[in-house]
Amino acid sequence: MPGKMVQCLKNTGISNPFVLIDEIDKLGRGYQGDPASALLELLDPEQNSSFLDHYLDVAVDLSKVLFMCTANLLDTIPGPLLDRMEVIRLSGYIFDEKVAIARRYLEVQARKDAGVPRGAVHITDAAMTALVEEYAREAGVRNLKKQLEKIYRKAAFRLVKEGLVDIPVVKDAQESDGEAPEGPNTLPPGTPPTASIQGEVPPPAESVERERVEEEALPAFDAPAVTVDAGDLAALLGPPPFTSDKIYASATPPGVVMGLAWTAMGGSTLYIEAAAVERGEGKGSLRTTGQLGDVMKESAAIAHTYARRVLQARGDAAFFEQSALHVHVPAGATPKDGPSAGCAIATALLSLALARPVRPDLAMTGEVTLTGKVLPIGGVKEKTLAAKRSGVRHILFPEGNRRDWEELAEDVRAGLEVHFVEEYQQVFDLALPEEGSA
């Protein structure tokens, strides 16, 4: 049969359709060839005016087609293919947006799919908050939809088990000729037959009308028969996969700093721990653990060198010259990479050297250079949400990210005090203030 693009033009009947290519970062190369090569010809505006369909062996003009591709990661998309596309980065939903989507759309659809009457099940605000924060922390709402469907399926089973709702009986094709007994779950006369009985899908308008009639046939509840609270989620969904990012409930000891990181889940806080292994003449060295990537290892080396310069300027260079240091970033099973941990690593090393703890309500991110300049980073929105989730009140961002901060919504910035820095000395004054100063 002809290729997908020719089928698309045939089915739509127009020469300029909108074509969505989902998950283009999941391309795989098999024995039939490399799909990236075909997409390269398909998406290149200089070539797709004469795109060749190998089944028909006819050139097809695709220059008027609007293509949109979706991806989670850009790293796995071939470079030549990525050059043909304009990249639009969309950050994940924030907490309030997830709750609104769940209440308006996902919960309604989950209730209909489970056959639960209106008003029979109520999910409290506390349960919805725990559901979003502890069970569905990803950037989208796909997992949130799955969890809501699971809740409503179990609620439907409980309603049927307690006899509050009858199980609807679906007639097959052989029994559909006779008269069906009327009951609370039977459809009124004149309702169109189901698609499974007819063997064909009803028109969209007819399908929507049928769903409305089926829902009206179910008895509505004046008061909820099943109420789901935050304490009920463990029994319905199991233990929460996401817990608090805070390892230290109160103040952190010297050598520990809270950093901010961008992740596929939308952002998280991570602790950077520094410890002195042994001391002695000529023992100065640095070791890193925690599955750090090459870029992050370079950031640790730069931070170590700059921290030595800071102590030398203060007249105390012996600590780094005589100490074998170990820097660890939990959790060890999670790979980590990126340049934005430089400020946090340097602060952890200086906190250890000065035996001075970092202020507990501060989280930081930023790349530091050998001369102490703080360079801008990415993922400001995700890192801000991670800081709010961990109860942080003060965030330290590079001065180059001021515009990114100002573009955030007011509800995202609420409750946080941000400090913009250009030099590491500003970081030092904020994170490691002298005793007796705020």
Side-chain angles (χ1 to χ4, degrees), residues 250-322:
S250 57
T252 56
V256 179
V257 178
M258 179 185 288
L260 298 172
W262 179 93
T263 66
M265 294 294 178
S268 66
T269 57
L270 53 84
Y271 285 91
I272 296 177
E273 302 173 336
V277 181
E278 61 176 328
R279 300 196 64 176
E281 192 67 30
K283 295 287 186 179
S285 63
L286 177 66
R287 180 191 177 196
T288 59
T289 56
Q291 284 208 53
L292 307 186
D294 293 337
V295 177
M296 199 165 182
K297 288 180 180 178
E298 290 183 356
S299 295
I302 294 171
H304 182 240
T305 301
Y306 181 75
R308 294 183 66 167
R309 289 188 55 191
V310 172
L311 282 194
Q312 288 175 358
R314 296 171 64 94
D316 183 15
F319 178 82
F320 286 109
E321 294 175 356
Q322 302 176 4

Side-chain angles (χ1 to χ4, degrees), residues 209-401:
E209 178 65 18
R210 177 172 182 79
E211 289 183 2
R212 186 187 65 81
V213 173
E214 288 179 346
E215 186 171 359
E216 291 179 354
L218 295 174
F221 283 63
D222 297 331
V226 177
T227 300
V228 179
D229 205 353
D232 304 322
L233 294 180
L236 294 171
L237 305 176
F242 301 101
T243 56
S244 176
D245 293 335
K246 297 194 72 172
I247 302 176
Y248 300 90
S250 57
T252 56
V256 179
V257 178
M258 179 185 288
L260 298 172
W262 179 93
T263 66
M265 294 294 178
S268 66
T269 57
L270 53 84
Y271 285 91
I272 296 177
E273 302 173 336
V277 181
E278 61 176 328
R279 300 196 64 176
E281 192 67 30
K283 295 287 186 179
S285 63
L286 177 66
R287 180 191 177 196
T288 59
T289 56
Q291 284 208 53
L292 307 186
D294 293 337
V295 177
M296 199 165 182
K297 288 180 180 178
E298 290 183 356
S299 295
I302 294 171
H304 182 240
T305 301
Y306 181 75
R308 294 183 66 167
R309 289 188 55 191
V310 172
L311 282 194
Q312 288 175 358
R314 296 171 64 94
D316 183 15
F319 178 82
F320 286 109
E321 294 175 356
Q322 302 176 4
S323 300
L325 302 178
H326 184 179
V327 173
H328 177 64
V329 185
T334 305
K336 312 166 192 71
D337 203 1
S340 61
C343 286
I345 296 176
T347 305
L349 294 173
L350 289 172
S351 171
L352 178 67
L354 299 173
R356 190 186 304 172
V358 179
R359 59 186 301 177
D361 56 349
L362 175 69
M364 66 180 66
T365 181
E367 179 181 0
V368 66
T369 68
L370 288 174
T371 58
K373 296 290 185 180
V374 179
L375 304 182
I377 45 84
V380 171
K381 179 179 178 180
E382 290 79 5
K383 293 178 179 181
T384 302
L385 295 175
K388 291 188 67 174
R389 191 166 55 241
S390 298
V392 173
R393 291 190 300 166
H394 297 269
I395 305 181
L396 194 149
F397 280 139
E399 179 64 34
N401 293 110

Side-chain angles (χ1 to χ4, degrees), residues 135-146:
Y135 289 87
R137 195 179 286 183
E138 75 281 355
V141 293
R142 182 177 300 171
N143 195 43
L144 179 59
K145 178 182 178 182
K146 291 180 181 179

Side-chain angles (χ1 to χ4, degrees), residues 40-197:
L40 193 63
E41 181 183 355
L42 183 70
L43 300 178
D44 192 348
E46 303 296 332
Q47 302 182 46
N48 60 9
S49 59
S50 57
F51 178 77
L52 181 63
D53 183 274
H54 290 283
Y55 180 85
L56 299 176
D57 199 22
V58 174
V60 182
D61 184 8
L62 300 178
S63 59
K64 300 178 182 179
V65 179
L66 176 61
F67 293 97
M68 177 177 288
C69 306
T70 65
N72 294 322
L73 297 173
L74 297 179
D75 302 338
T76 56
I77 302 177
L81 183 60
L82 187 62
D83 291 339
R84 266 70 177 181
M85 296 183 286
E86 179 182 354
V87 179
I88 302 175
R89 300 178 183 270
L90 301 176
S91 57
Y93 297 116
I94 64 176
F95 171 79
D96 294 337
E97 293 171 344
K98 283 188 175 183
V99 172
I101 293 173
R103 291 294 191 188
R104 295 181 185 179
Y105 305 105
L106 303 182
E107 190 175 359
V108 175
Q109 188 61 41
R111 177 182 61 79
K112 291 181 179 179
D113 293 343
V116 176
R118 288 169 296 170
V121 178
H122 173 62
I123 300 179
T124 63
D125 293 339
M128 187 63 71
T129 300
L131 186 64
V132 171
E133 293 185 346
E134 299 178 7
Y135 289 87
R137 195 179 286 183
E138 75 281 355
V141 293
R142 182 177 300 171
N143 195 43
L144 179 59
K145 178 182 178 182
K146 291 180 181 179
Q147 302 296 347
L148 286 172
E149 290 174 347
K150 188 181 297 185
I151 291 175
Y152 272 92
R153 284 197 301 268
K154 294 188 176 182
F157 176 76
R158 178 177 171 183
L159 291 173
V160 173
K161 186 177 179 181
E162 295 179 358
L164 299 176
V165 176
D166 296 333
I167 302 177
V169 179
V170 179
K171 288 286 188 178
D172 56 19
Q174 287 76 14
E175 298 178 357
S176 60
D177 296 335
E179 285 284 334
E182 293 189 2
N185 292 318
T186 58
L187 300 179
T191 303
T194 61
S196 60
I197 295 176

